[in-house]
Amino acid sequence: MEVLRPQLVRIGGRIYRKNPIQEQTYQHEEEEEDFYQGFVECAEEPCDAYEVVQTQQGFRCTVKAPSLLYKHIVGKRGDTRKKLEVETKTSISIPKPGQEGEIVITGQHRSGVISARTRIDVLLLTFRRKQPFTHFLAFFLNEVEVQERFLKFQEEVLEKCSMDHGVDSTIFQNPKKLHLTIGMLVLLSEQEIQQTCEMLQQCKEEFIDDISGGKPLEVEMAGIEYMNDDPGMVDVLYAKVHMKDGSNRLQELVDRVLERFQASGLIVKEWNSVKLHATVMNTLFRKDPNAEGRYNLYTADGKYIFKERESFDGRNILKLFENFYFGTLKLNSIHISQRFTVDSFGNYASCGQIDFS
């Protein structure tokens, strides 16, 4: 990270500079990661983005956070909390591990309480981004017609292209899990799952009903494309999804949902638009049928996972099946799907949903 161009972090509608950090790594997994993020300055002063209450003893501010992230505020042997308290002249109370509650910051000076709150928010955001994704917003694409056509696609590809490098039956998607992802989520408590359900319902009331007209969106799943820039070395092959009437309503709908969830902080902003695609082949499936694309990046303790994968030669597949027709669907629900779990039908388990009609 360059000193003159530090990373910017948006919290509570304000932008903060995140200064270079000193990070230590440990050989033993049982040893907790221990580093402090350094001084964070508010982009504008005074910083009034937080609710700070004046008390008889001084000032008080609370932070809601899932218990899974408490250890990152405490730090190894409590060092992170102590450093925060000393530098901001505050006292920071954190619930015990496994107990849900609020982090409470108290101090004699309002500015110190705000400074502690800002730094805690940066710590929480940093470590939340290192958590593996737990859920995702998606349309299910597993109608019977589409599943049957997908199996036909798989059969024909294996019949005509099995001699091409890396092409075999292990890299095809499970037809029961065909889906269209809107965005990935890190939900670390039941409260955050409920917050996501409420946010999705707000989207329905504020703009989804208007875009959908209170009816399912009729779409076609047709044509294939690949993710990278070399058709001879493909890792992900996907089917394209578009509105049957040729309109842009599906793209508009998913982009506005993404924008709303990014603004709330429930989805980290990586893209400005959703790439409408349904994965049909993925080389991660070769070694792990339950793998889920590029989203297997971190373990629960924040360690990066490198997934070795053997690419396949997709040139013949792209030539022979460029316009393969998978079928039509009526998209009537957006689901909050839980990763690595399935329902009784073999699809991803849903923690909540909204229906268009």
Side-chain angles (χ1 to χ4, degrees):
M1 185 192 311
E2 296 184 20
V3 175
L4 296 179
R5 294 183 179 179
Q7 180 181 351
L8 300 180
V9 180
R10 182 181 294 275
I11 300 174
R14 290 181 175 272
I15 298 176
Y16 302 89
R17 294 189 294 273
K18 179 180 169 188
N19 287 353
I21 63 173
Q22 291 183 340
E23 183 169 342
Q24 291 177 286
T25 56
Y26 298 87
Q27 293 181 349
H28 304 291
E29 289 186 1
E30 63 270 21
E31 291 192 48
E32 203 174 287
E33 196 171 5
D34 179 27
F35 63 89
Y36 179 61
Q37 301 297 56
F39 183 70
V40 180
E41 298 181 75
C42 183
E44 297 179 36
E45 296 291 347
C47 185
D48 55 1
Y50 305 124
E51 182 179 348
V52 179
V53 178
Q54 188 167 7
T55 66
Q56 292 181 344
Q57 291 76 31
F59 296 88
R60 180 178 185 271
C61 184
T62 60
V63 186
K64 291 183 179 179
S67 60
L68 186 65
L69 298 181
Y70 292 162
K71 64 181 181 180
H72 301 302
I73 308 302
V74 175
K76 191 174 180 65
R77 298 181 299 274
D79 290 347
T80 301
R81 174 167 58 182
K82 291 174 187 175
K83 190 173 181 67
L84 280 169
E85 290 177 329
V86 169
E87 292 188 355
T88 61
K89 297 181 175 60
T90 59
S91 176
I92 301 170
S93 175
I94 301 173
K96 294 180 180 179
Q99 295 183 355
E100 296 294 338
E102 293 183 327
I103 298 171
V104 180
I105 308 165
T106 56
Q108 293 294 316
H109 304 285
R110 187 174 186 273
S111 60
V113 171
I114 290 174
S115 178
R117 169 63 192 268
T118 301
R119 300 181 191 202
I120 287 174
D121 277 353
V122 172
L123 281 169
L124 291 171
L125 179 62
T126 298
F127 284 100
R128 176 179 287 277
R129 286 182 173 180
K130 289 192 172 186
Q131 299 299 312
F133 292 114
T134 59
H135 299 73
F136 58 97
L137 297 177
F139 291 102
F140 292 161
L141 305 176
N142 56 355
E143 291 187 13
V144 174
E145 177 195 358
V146 172
Q147 287 193 52
E148 291 176 349
R149 291 290 297 165
F150 170 81
L151 290 173
K152 181 67 173 176
F153 169 76
Q154 179 177 333
E155 178 185 343
E156 293 187 7
V157 167
L158 292 175
E159 178 183 331
K160 299 176 182 179
C161 305
S162 60
M163 298 302 293
D164 295 343
H165 176 76
V167 176
D168 62 50
S169 61
T170 64
I171 62 176
F172 287 85
Q173 174 67 283
N174 181 338
K176 294 179 180 179
K177 290 185 175 181
L178 289 168
H179 64 277
L180 180 67
T181 301
I182 299 173
M184 303 299 297
L185 299 157
V186 175
L187 305 179
L188 303 177
S189 66
E190 289 298 323
Q191 290 84 351
E192 292 188 348
I193 293 175
Q194 182 59 36
Q195 182 185 356
T196 303
C197 291
E198 292 170 358
M199 179 67 66
L200 200 54
Q201 181 61 35
Q202 290 175 13
C203 290
K204 172 179 166 58
E205 294 170 358
E206 293 179 17
F207 59 83
I208 289 178
D209 282 346
D210 288 340
I211 296 173
S212 68
K215 299 177 181 179
L217 298 179
E218 293 191 38
V219 302
E220 288 184 332
M221 185 169 158
I224 58 172
E225 190 55 85
Y226 60 104
M227 284 291 187
N228 58 308
D229 57 2
D230 184 355
M233 294 284 288
V234 176
D235 283 318
V236 176
L237 190 78
Y238 63 89
K240 294 180 282 189
V241 180
H242 58 269
M243 287 292 297
K244 194 174 181 179
D245 63 8
S247 72
N248 198 43
R249 287 190 297 150
L250 176 60
Q251 187 70 61
E252 179 188 358
L253 189 152
V254 296
D255 283 349
R256 291 189 64 178
V257 170
L258 178 68
E259 181 183 11
R260 179 60 60 85
F261 273 79
Q262 287 175 337
S264 73
L266 286 168
I267 290 180
V268 176
K269 185 169 184 178
E270 292 183 283
W271 321 106
N272 293 323
S273 181
V274 176
K275 186 176 182 67
L276 294 171
H277 72 283
T279 298
V280 293
M281 298 173 72
N282 189 330
T283 56
L284 285 180
F285 299 154
R286 196 187 305 280
K287 293 184 178 180
D288 181 5
N290 295 314
E292 294 170 13
R294 67 180 182 87
Y295 306 116
N296 291 340
L297 295 179
Y298 291 98
T299 61
D301 58 357
K303 292 181 173 59
Y304 185 80
I305 302 172
F306 175 73
K307 290 232 177 222
E308 185 178 353
R309 53 205 294 175
E310 179 191 353
S311 301
F312 67 92
D313 186 344
R315 287 173 292 184
N316 283 332
I317 298 175
L318 290 161
K319 180 179 179 180
L320 296 171
F321 301 95
E322 179 183 6
N323 298 309
F324 189 89
Y325 183 74
F326 291 91
T328 61
L329 306 102
K330 291 186 178 181
L331 304 183
N332 193 43
S333 304
I334 297 177
H335 294 264
I336 304 167
S337 300
Q338 187 172 351
R339 299 181 70 207
F340 309 117
T341 59
V342 295
D343 59 20
S344 58
F345 300 102
N347 195 7
Y348 288 105
S350 178
C351 301
Q353 69 183 73
I354 58 164
D355 298 324
F356 299 170
S357 64

